[in-house]
């Protein structure tokens, strides 16, 4: 036993010593170099794609230049804008509803033992079910329109938010609880001053994960309902073999994902700077 | 240096110098599971005096402090304050706790951390602002009010921790190894600062530490605890002149004598426990 611990210790030590000077070196600003390398890699990727795709059937893969041209047309005729807005509308509504319900529910779950007893089996069951299995049910209930999409997106984003909020509320550092108790905080005051703020980083992490799920939910919803929005655009263009036009909404979704997640990360740094290590 | 008054555990005697106890523990016993942690601990904290509790790690110092603070329930024994007799927490005198490092709320600015107890008590904003300013000035942190704990050094964080407790203007200040994780030089600065604050406020302080030097430098009285089970071994009066500084205390011959005596006691009790 002790031998193992010793081994680990030694590994730890030897691992650490060479990193010491390199961590000194890291204080130099490498950001410009990092971005130069990154952008070069992206450029190389697209050039390679362009060259490779120029030699094969445009049904299978089109070069980036063709996608760019298609994007130009789709922006010009307003289709891309309309469908993006359609998607965003469902996304914002679904995600917003999920956020409004899951965060308070997560807090109540952490707060009351009875709620915990009741809620656990349901959450376990639903969390272990691939939510996509419920999509036909939503269509049955809500039809092929906006409501069904909202329900799908909402349920896709619901659980990471709920679980993270709950986790945050039950993992408050006991020392902070002690401080509150020693300063004679009432239960309400402890929640306001201690529990809620310590949940913020967890909720932010939940939002980040949920946004990814919401995007997936959005595309699935648009595939399985009336084929509108960005997902519909992908589907319809694929069906009519307009491969270049099919790629455009895919890139839009990708950009949306990156944008949403980096803005939540930015927001988290803004409102919970203490939680950064 | 034979000014010490040693009492046997369990014997409730009037405090030294005829002082009134700010709080007394009588026969406090605590178990965690089957292990006896505190075995009938009796301790008087003299009003307006600085008392340190020293003892080997794990002897139950923190547990005793937590019982006094109302954070932990004793299995038996009493906490007596003035004439209100209660078996913790119930009626408590106005006391405030300075915790170990890392206890500041990271989501609150220095100002809001210090204001915490006052906000809970529903004190009006104007009074809070004034009290916070005054307390920050006392710990030499004017100008950091808007900063957040992660922007401060360890030593500064502990000064905020002290200010958070002082802002309540409590009768009793409980401190559990507040300087354990700062570097030696900062610790000395904090000692001087605490001595200065004590001169100004004359709070009744119970200061837990495992450093004999720290206990002597700061205190009027050092209470030595033994381990397994935790019990009071002996009390030492520290009659070094006040006002003190770390340096003025350390250079006195009495300092070395006290250190020697307390150390002997701790070592022999540890050896006894080992042989038992
Ligand atoms: N919550 C707890 N549950 C079980 N054992 C505990 C708990 N808190 C402290 N102890 C035990 O009680 C003993 C005394 O702990 P503590 O009061 O923290 O000692 P000290 O502060 O003197 O180092 C230790 O053996 C410790 O392991
Ligand atoms: Mg301790």
């Amino acid at each position: 036993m002790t031998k193992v611990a010793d081994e680990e210790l030694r590994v730890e030590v030897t691992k650490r010593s060479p990193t010491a000077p390199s961590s000194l070196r890291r204080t130099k600003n490498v950001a410009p170099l990092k971005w130069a390398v990154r952008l070069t890699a992206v450029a190389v990727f697209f050039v390679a794609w362009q060259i490779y795709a120029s030699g094969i059937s445009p049904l299978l893969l089109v070069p980036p230049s063709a996608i760019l041209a298609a994007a130009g047309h789709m922006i010009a005729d307003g289709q891309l804008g309309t469908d993006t807005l359609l998607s965003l509308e469902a996304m914002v509504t679904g995600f917003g509803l999920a956020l409004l319900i899951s965060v308070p529910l997560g807090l109540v779950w952490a707060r009351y033992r009875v709620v915990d007893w009741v809620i656990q089996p349901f959450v376990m069951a639903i969390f272990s079910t691939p939510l996509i299995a419920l999509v036909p049910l939503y269509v049955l209930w809500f039809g092929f329109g906006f409501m069904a999409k909202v329900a799908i997106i909402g349920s896709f984003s619901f659980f990471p938010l709920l679980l993270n909020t709950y986790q945050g509320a039950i993992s408050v550092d006991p020392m902070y609880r002690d401080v509150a108790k020693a300063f004679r905080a009432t239960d309400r005051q402890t929640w306001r001053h201690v529990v809620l703020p310590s949940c913020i980083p967890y909720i932010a992490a939940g939002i980040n994960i949920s946004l990814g799920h919401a995007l997936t939910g959005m595309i699935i919803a648009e595939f399985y309902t009336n084929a509108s929005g960005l997902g519909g655009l992908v589907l319809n263009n694929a069906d009519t073999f307009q491969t270049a036009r099919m790629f455009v909404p895919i890139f839009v979704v990708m950009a949306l994902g990156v944008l949403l997640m980096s803005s939540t990360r930015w927001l988290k740094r803004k409102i919970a700077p203490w939680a950064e290590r | 240096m034979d000014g010490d008054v040693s009492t046997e555990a369990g014997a409730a005697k009037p405090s030294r110098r005829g002082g009134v106890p700010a709080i007394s523990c009588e026969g406090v016993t605590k178990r965690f599971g089957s292990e006896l942690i505190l075995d009938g601990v009796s301790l008087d904290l003299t009003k307006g005096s600085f008392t340190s509790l020293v003892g080997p790690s794990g002897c139950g110092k923190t547990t005793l402090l937590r019982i006094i603070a109302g954070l932990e329930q004793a299995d038996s024994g009493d906490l007596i304050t003035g004439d209100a007799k209660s078996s913790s927490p119930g009626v408590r005198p106005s006391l405030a706790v300075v915790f170990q490092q890392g206890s500041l709320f990271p989501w609150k600015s220095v100002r809001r951390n210090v204001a915490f107890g006052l906000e809970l008590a529903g004190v009006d904003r104007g009074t809070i602002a004034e009290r916070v300013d005054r307390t920050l000035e006392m710990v030499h942190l004017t100008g950091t009010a808007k900063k957040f704990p992660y922007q401060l050094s360890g030593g500064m964080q502990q000064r905020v921790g002290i200010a958070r407790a002082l802002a309540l203007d409590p009768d009793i200040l409980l401190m559990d190894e507040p300087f354990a994780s700062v570097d030696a030089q900062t610790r000395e600065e904090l000692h001087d600062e605490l001595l200065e604050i004590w001169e100004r406020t004359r709070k009744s302080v119970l200061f837990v530490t495992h450093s004999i030097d720290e206990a002597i430098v700061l205190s009027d009285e050092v209470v030595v605890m033994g381990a397994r089970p935790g019990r009071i071994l002996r009390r030492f009066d520290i009659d070094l002149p006040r006002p003190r500084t770390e340096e003025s205390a350390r250079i006195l011959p009495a300092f070395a004598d006290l250190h020697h005596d307390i150390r002997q006691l701790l070592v022999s009790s540890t050896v006894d426990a080992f042989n038992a």
Side-chain angles (χ1 to χ4, degrees), chain B residues 175 187 272:
Chain B
M175 310 178 84
R187 190 176 310 134
D272 288 349

Side-chain angles (χ1 to χ4, degrees), chain B residues 35-102:
Chain B
E35 201 186 343
L36 185 58
I37 303 297
L38 294 175
D39 186 14
V41 171
S42 296
L43 173 76
D44 286 343
L45 181 61
T46 310
K47 203 167 196 161
S49 123
F50 197 118
T51 306
S52 282
L53 196 55
V54 290
S57 177
C59 72
K61 305 181 294 292
T62 295
T63 305
L64 182 59
L65 183 132
R66 287 174 61 86
I67 288 171
I68 296 172
L71 293 172
E72 203 87 65
Q73 190 98 33
D75 294 333
S76 62
D78 292 305
L79 283 182
I80 306 150
T81 62
D83 41 22
K85 188 162 180 165
S86 72
S87 45
S88 67
V91 185
R92 280 187 272 159
S94 107
L95 50 80
V97 185
V98 178
F99 288 83
Q100 292 187 0
Q101 204 175 325

Side-chain angles (χ1 to χ4, degrees), chain A residues 176 178 183-184 189 193 197 273, chain B residues 66 93 106-108 120 150:
Chain A
Y176 300 145
D178 278 349
F183 282 78
R184 280 164 231 194
Q189 289 173 324
H193 290 274
Chain B
R66 287 174 61 86
W107 48 84
K108 286 179 183 283
L120 295 186
Y150 71 92

Side-chain angles (χ1 to χ4, degrees), chain A residues 16 18-28:
Chain A
R16 212 163 259 177
T19 58
S22 88
S23 75
L24 280 178
R25 228 176 294 139
R26 207 176 303 143
T27 55
K28 262 203 273 179

